[in-house]
Amino acid sequence: MILFSVVIFGLASVSLTEQIDSTLERTWIDVQPSIRVNQAGELEMVGDLALDSSIFIQVWDRKGALIANSFSASQLLRPLDPVGVSAAEPVFRDAFVDELHMRVLTVPLEVGGRPFGALQLGANMATVDAARQILLVTLVVASLFSIAFAALVGWLSTRQALSALDAATRAALEITKTNDLSRRIPQSGPPEDEVGQLVQAFNLNLDRLERLIATQRRFIADVGHELRTPLTVIKGNVDLMRRIHETDEESLKGIGSEVERLTRLVGDLMLLAQAEAGKLPIATELVDLDTVMLEVFRQMRVLARGQVRLRIGGIDQVLVCGDRDRLKQVLVNLIGNGIKYTPAGGEVVVSLGKVGQQARLTVTDNGPGIPPADLPHIFERFYRAEKSRVRSQDGKGFGLGLSIAYWIVKNHQGHIEVDSDIGKGTTFCVWLPLAKGECREEL
Ligand code: ADP
C-alpha cells in the first residue's frame, strides 16, 4: 500500500505540474509578440500582457527595472523568482511570493545573442497543492484502512484455522491421556482443507493403531492359551513323579511330547514373525515342484492311511524359483489340513499344473467345508474355524498352519486362494510364478 501510494502520489504530482508548465509555456508563446527592443536598445511593450489572465507576468530589463507586468502581478515589485531571473536558459522553478506557492517560468530575453532582460510567468499552485493534499490524505486513510482490514481478515482466518488445529490437538491429547484408541478426532471444518486432511490422516493412523494393538492383544492371549495346556501337562507329570518318588515312563513320555509341541509352537511363531516382516531367509533355487509334490504325497499317504483316500488328480512338470523346504512345508500344511478335517472315508485330491506364466497347485477335499463367516479369517494367526467342532482333534494344530503357508507363498511372490462349500468340501489353490531361466537372488 505504501509503495502504491508513493507511486500514485508521485505520478499525480508530476502530471499536475506538467499541466501548469505547459500552460505557462503557452502563455509565453502568446505574450512573446508584445515585447520588443526599440532602437535605443531598450525593452518596450507593444500590447497588453493578457490583463485578465490569472497568470502572473513580469518583464524585467537587464538592469533590474520592471518594464511591464500583468494585472494579476500589479502589486508585486520584486521578481516572482528572484533566483531564476538571472538564468541564461528558460527555467521552471517553484517559488514563494508573499507565502503564495508559485510555479515560475523565467525566459531570458535576448536579440542576436545579446541579453536585454527576462520575462517571468507565474502560476498559482494553490489548486494543485490542494489537489495534492486531498490525494495524500485519501491515500494515507486508504492505506491505514487497508492495513487494518487486512490485519483483521488475517487474524480472523488464522484464528479459525488455528482453532480447528487447536481442537484437533486437544482431541489427540485427550486420546493419549485416556488411552482410548476407539475415539476419533471430530471433523469440524471441511474435510478437503489442510486441517481436515490432517485430521483424516490422524484418524486413519488411529484406525491402524487400534487394529494393530487389538491384533497384538489377541496374539498374546492366543499364545498364552496355547502355552497353558502343555505347561499344565508337564507340571502334572512332574508333580506325579515327585509324589511317587520315581521316574514314571508314561509321565516322561507325556512331558516329552508336550515339550516337542512347545518347541514346534515357538518355531512356528518365529517363522511367522520373520515371514510377516518379509525377512524370511529363503534360498533361491530352481525347484521342481512336481518332485516336491510327489515326496509330500508319499509322506502324507502314510498319515492318511485307513482314514481318507489321498490321490493325485493331475501332475505336470513345473519349475519355480524358491526354497524347496519352505514350499514343501506349504504342501504339508495344506494336505495335512485336508486329511485332518476330512472325515473317514473322504477323499483329498492334489493337482499341479500350469496356467499362463503361473504354477497352479490345488488341494481339494470333500470334507465339511469352511463356514463363509470364517473364510476371510482362516489365514490369520491362531484362527480356527468352528472352534467347538475341531479344537485340534489330534492335539497338534495351533491355527498357524495356514498363516505360515500364506506367508511363505507371499514371500515367493505368489498367492493362495480358498474356495469352500459347506458340506461339500474345500479347495486351496496356490499360485506361484514359473521360473524363467536362472533364479535371481533377490526373491
Ligand atoms: P489348524 O492348526 O487349526 O489346522 P490352520 O491355520 O491350518 O490351523 O487352519 C485354520 C482353520 O481353518 C482350521 O482350524 C480349520 O477350522 C480351517 N480349515 C483349514 N483347512 C481346512 C479344510 N481342508 N477343511 C475344513 N476346514 C479347514
Side-chain angles (χ1 to χ4, degrees):
M1 275 309 292
I2 290 168
L3 190 71
F4 171 79
S5 303
V6 168
V7 170
I8 291 290
F9 186 77
L11 284 178
S13 293
V14 168
S15 144
L16 286 170
T17 310
E18 272 177 358
Q19 276 183 30
I20 298 285
D21 289 356
S22 70
T23 309
L24 290 175
E25 269 170 351
R26 271 201 313 277
T27 313
W28 152 237
I29 291 164
D30 292 345
V31 164
Q32 206 177 6
S34 313
I35 308 167
R36 70 170 188 213
V37 179
N38 62 19
Q39 277 158 357
E42 287 162 349
L43 286 173
E44 78 177 16
M45 305 303 296
V46 283
D48 278 343
L49 284 178
L51 290 176
D52 54 348
S53 165
S54 60
I55 305 286
F56 293 65
I57 307 171
Q58 292 177 329
V59 183
W60 298 90
D61 71 5
R62 68 171 185 276
K63 293 184 199 117
L66 183 63
I67 305 294
N69 57 10
S70 65
F71 178 73
S72 48
S74 55
Q75 305 296 315
L76 298 173
L77 300 173
R78 298 182 284 110
L80 292 168
D81 175 12
V83 180
V85 77
S86 51
E89 297 276 314
V91 63
F92 285 104
R93 283 172 47 86
D94 280 24
F96 285 88
V97 181
D98 296 338
E99 293 181 1
L100 202 68
H101 181 200
M102 285 217 179
R103 183 77 174 162
V104 180
L105 166 64
T106 306
V107 187
L109 300 169
E110 52 190 37
V111 177
R114 262 185 69 200
F116 286 95
L119 173 81
Q120 286 202 322
L121 301 114
N124 191 343
M125 291 291 273
T127 327
V128 172
D129 285 345
R132 273 200 202 137
Q133 190 79 20
I134 289 169
L135 185 65
L136 187 69
V137 170
T138 310
L139 286 173
V140 168
V141 170
S143 295
L144 290 178
F145 181 76
S146 308
I147 290 167
F149 184 71
L152 183 75
V153 171
W155 179 70
L156 283 177
S157 60
T158 319
R159 204 175 66 141
Q160 198 194 3
L162 289 183
S163 76
L165 263 185
D166 197 39
T169 311
R170 263 184 283 123
L173 285 175
E174 195 67 18
I175 290 168
T176 315
K177 221 187 310 170
T178 54
N179 230 344
D180 181 5
L181 284 175
S182 63
R183 283 179 58 173
R184 294 290 174 270
I185 297 176
Q187 190 80 261
S188 50
E192 65 279 355
D193 72 2
E194 282 79 0
V195 179
Q197 283 182 1
L198 180 75
V199 169
Q200 267 178 1
F202 198 87
N203 283 342
L204 273 178
N205 266 338
L206 281 176
D207 283 349
R208 222 173 99 76
L209 210 65
E210 190 186 11
R211 266 203 313 274
L212 219 76
I213 288 183
T215 315
Q216 200 97 5
R217 284 197 185 127
R218 210 175 51 231
F219 175 71
I220 292 170
D222 286 338
V223 172
H225 188 86
E226 290 302 335
L227 289 176
R228 205 165 49 192
T229 322
L231 289 176
T232 314
V233 173
I234 292 170
K235 187 173 182 305
N237 283 323
V238 170
D239 285 350
L240 177 74
M241 286 194 284
R242 202 174 274 146
R243 259 203 318 273
I244 60 173
H245 297 293
E246 61 179 75
T247 36
D248 172 44
E249 200 47 45
E250 201 53 37
S251 301
L252 281 179
K253 221 171 115 193
I255 291 172
S257 82
E258 290 306 327
V259 167
E260 202 179 289
R261 187 172 148 78
L262 284 177
T263 312
R264 208 151 35 83
L265 174 64
V266 172
D268 281 359
L269 285 176
M270 284 174 71
L271 182 94
L272 258 182
Q274 280 180 319
E276 284 184 22
K279 290 184 182 142
L280 195 63
I282 283 185
T284 311
E285 55 191 357
L286 214 52
V287 181
D288 40 350
L289 214 52
D290 43 311
T291 316
V292 177
M293 193 177 108
L294 283 174
E295 264 174 42
V296 178
F297 176 76
R298 280 190 211 107
Q299 279 174 21
M300 300 309 273
R301 205 163 44 174
V302 179
L303 198 79
R305 185 161 295 151
Q307 200 191 349
V308 294
R309 202 164 95 85
L310 179 63
R311 71 176 177 88
I312 291 181
I315 187 160
D316 207 350
Q317 198 183 17
V318 170
L319 287 175
V320 295
C321 282
D323 189 309
R324 168 179 278 270
D325 290 341
R326 306 268 188 233
L327 291 173
K328 199 167 168 181
Q329 193 170 357
V330 172
L331 272 163
V332 169
N333 288 1
L334 294 181
I335 300 175
N337 273 354
I339 296 171
K340 191 161 64 178
Y341 295 109
T342 307
E347 186 180 56
V348 177
V349 185
V350 195
S351 307
L352 178 65
K354 291 181 203 166
V355 179
Q357 291 302 305
Q358 303 267 311
R360 180 170 175 265
L361 188 146
T362 55
V363 180
T364 308
D365 65 56
N366 58 1
I370 302 169
D374 291 318
L375 264 187
H377 305 290
I378 55 166
F379 294 108
E380 289 172 13
R381 291 177 299 195
F382 291 113
Y383 194 85
R384 289 168 178 144
E386 285 195 40
K387 296 183 169 66
S388 54
R389 178 172 59 87
V390 204
R391 188 81 196 173
S392 28
Q393 290 163 331
D394 56 359
K396 281 183 181 166
F398 298 115
L400 293 175
L402 285 182
S403 292
I404 290 174
Y406 171 86
W407 282 104
I408 290 177
V409 172
K410 199 169 158 125
N411 277 261
H412 279 81
Q413 329 301 327
H415 65 280
I416 298 192
E417 289 165 358
V418 57
D419 189 19
S420 190
D421 260 337
I422 288 287
K424 287 191 183 155
T426 308
T427 299
F428 283 94
C429 184
V430 176
W431 295 91
L432 289 167
L434 288 175
K436 292 181 206 131
E438 291 282 295
C439 291
R440 277 177 295 137
E441 276 304 314
E442 74 261 26
L443 187 79

